[in-house]
Amino acid sequence: MIGGGQLARMMVPAAIELGVDLRVLAEAEGMAAAIAAERVGDYTDTATVLDFAKTVDVVTFDHEHVPQDVLRALVDAGVPVRPGPDALRYAQDKLLMRERLSELGLPVPDWARVLVPAELDAFIAEHGGAAVVKTPRGGYDGKGVRVVRSAAEVSEWFTAAAEDGGSGALLVEELVDFRRELAQLVARRPSGEVAAWPLVETVQVGGVCSEVIAPAPKSAGRLADVAADVAVAIADGLGVTGVLAVELFETVDDRVLVNELAMRPHNSGHWSMDGATTGQFEQHLRAVLDLPLGGTGTHHAWSVMVNILGGPEEGQLVDRYPEAMANHPTAKVHNYGKEPRPGRKVGHVTAVGDDLDEVVYEARSAAAVFQD
Ligand code: ADP
């Protein structure tokens, strides 16, 4: 696995259970996945990545940032890369993603590629005076996403996009009037088998995911079917292998629109480790190893995951274990081993059960023990 963050770390127990020898190429010493880090190296350096790849059977990722030329060099050297460069490019570039999904006839917000401020102002004028501008590459957790009423609000982004080695274009989208945000996770193996977990509701605060409810309340039936069909069409259409997360908007007029794609285990699937027959980390391993996929059913009516954002102002998460464990014996705590810092995802808590209000309360109050 290339990348040593919390996703690589959470892959470790799944790999141990299956007896899979997981090796991690981490960006730096002491990262979340240090326990499995075979080596530390620069994932943008072809020689480093090729050298690492010699020690493994399959290469996969905990992030989407490995450059295309490095990915292509791996493929040319005969290394199975999952997901491969032809799929990953759509997770690396939001403009390419919008273009491809539109070609596939999948539901996306109204969008345009804009090269100069005048084009952006024209789009804003045609869409009720406001729009969402996104940098095509390198954004995460809401960075690189801005609601604007005038192109002047993102003038520095046009300059930066031109310097990025890209086309200099920005992505602009209609400001979607959504009721809530949803996510549909699926896993696909090279042979084509696909498995879908239940559709989930995600709650974002300031562009960062704070909570996930599985399954999404009031989603049984048409909504769940549409979301699963869309995600499977994307997985097949883009040839994704491994876990694919499709972030969706449920609009006030009952449409489902695709927002974002991630081709790896995703925050919106963390609940599955404790709430589903097969968690996303095990499923990702099965998928990239082209093994039959596991069941995606749930153990309980509801699973709720709450992120621990920032952590305690002083000390470490473990300092709060006595209080959390004494008061919340059914909550499952996941600690990423990261230094607490404002806004940083340092862990999460999952609660499961049959009464949604109780499960939400339990997950939120257990997570709150770790926050100041
Ligand atoms: P990131 O790369 O940070 O994941 P996203 O494209 O997912 O960026 O956008 C972050 C958040 O901004 C979304 O979760 C959503 O709340 C909001 N957002 C993004 N696009 C739109 C849109 N077209 N209309 C309304 N809100 C949007």
Side-chain angles (χ1 to χ4, degrees):
M1 178 165 244
I2 298 180
Q6 65 258 27
L7 301 178
R9 180 189 180 95
M10 288 186 270
M11 198 74 83
V12 174
I16 290 172
E17 284 171 8
L18 292 177
V20 169
D21 183 9
L22 177 68
R23 305 206 178 163
V24 172
L25 175 66
E27 296 88 321
E29 300 283 349
M31 290 188 65
I35 189 174
E38 165 88 349
R39 55 181 84 179
V40 168
D42 178 4
Y43 61 77
T44 67
D45 179 64
T46 304
T48 301
V49 176
L50 274 174
D51 201 42
F52 170 68
K54 280 192 199 128
T55 70
V56 302
D57 300 304
V58 177
V59 168
T60 188
F61 311 92
D62 106 325
H63 59 72
E64 288 106 359
H65 309 311
V66 179
Q68 281 287 321
D69 58 334
V70 177
L71 298 170
R72 307 250 169 226
L74 287 173
V75 172
D76 291 345
V79 179
V81 178
R82 295 177 185 154
D86 290 332
L88 265 176
R89 54 204 287 260
Y90 300 109
Q92 294 176 325
D93 188 312
K94 291 179 182 181
L95 264 172
L96 281 183
M97 182 265 289
R98 284 280 177 259
E99 264 161 18
R100 188 75 189 108
L101 296 191
S102 300
E103 274 169 22
L104 290 170
L106 292 163
V108 294
D110 255 358
W111 66 276
R113 167 195 290 270
V114 289
L115 271 164
V116 291
E119 287 174 341
L120 176 52
D121 278 325
F123 185 96
I124 293 169
E126 284 161 22
H127 290 82
V132 180
V133 182
K134 301 185 178 183
T135 53
R137 307 178 68 89
Y140 65 96
D141 284 350
K143 296 180 183 64
V145 175
R146 204 177 280 174
V147 178
V148 299
R149 300 190 164 271
S150 149
E153 293 172 54
V154 286
S155 51
E156 81 280 13
W157 283 9
F158 279 106
T159 322
E163 285 164 2
D164 187 28
S167 60
L170 296 176
L171 169 63
V172 59
E173 297 176 356
E174 66 173 301
L175 177 61
V176 176
D177 195 2
F178 59 82
R179 187 177 295 136
R180 55 180 177 168
E181 294 188 66
L182 304 167
Q184 176 66 61
L185 266 71
V186 298
R188 182 176 178 277
R189 54 190 281 223
S191 63
E193 187 195 356
V194 181
W197 282 275
L199 178 66
V200 302
E201 176 174 346
T202 65
V203 181
Q204 338 281 324
V205 177
V208 181
C209 174
S210 69
E211 249 175 62
V212 174
I213 303 172
K218 300 195 177 73
S219 65
R222 193 197 76 95
L223 184 58
D225 292 346
V226 169
D229 286 351
V230 165
V232 170
I234 294 172
D236 285 340
L238 307 188
V240 181
T241 44
V243 169
L244 166 71
V246 181
E247 296 178 20
L248 300 160
F249 297 123
E250 181 188 347
T251 67
V252 292
D253 57 354
D254 285 321
R255 289 175 306 143
V256 171
L257 302 177
V258 176
N259 177 29
E260 262 269 80
L261 305 181
M263 296 180 190
R264 51 171 170 75
H266 189 252
N267 200 166
S268 62
H270 289 350
W271 68 273
S272 63
M273 281 189 277
D274 302 308
T277 303
T278 311
Q280 64 168 346
F281 295 96
E282 175 179 341
Q283 196 80 305
H284 187 79
L285 284 176
R286 291 163 79 135
V288 302
L289 293 168
D290 204 11
L291 292 167
L293 301 177
T296 50
T298 58
H299 299 310
H300 297 270
W302 302 102
S303 302
V304 174
M305 187 250 24
V306 177
N307 276 336
I308 303 171
L309 294 171
E313 271 169 28
E314 272 183 40
Q316 304 294 326
L317 293 190
V318 292
D319 302 332
R320 307 288 170 95
Y321 278 4
E323 186 187 343
M325 290 173 179
N327 296 324
H328 304 283
T330 62
K332 294 286 291 182
V333 177
H334 296 256
N335 179 344
Y336 306 158
K338 290 157 71 169
E339 205 50 46
R341 195 191 295 157
R344 194 178 200 198
K345 288 178 184 170
V346 292
H348 72 264
V349 174
T350 304
V352 298
D354 294 327
D355 182 293
L356 179 56
D357 288 342
E358 278 173 23
V359 177
V360 168
Y361 180 81
E362 183 65 5
R364 280 188 194 161
S365 49
V369 174
F370 296 99
Q371 304 278 168
D372 288 312

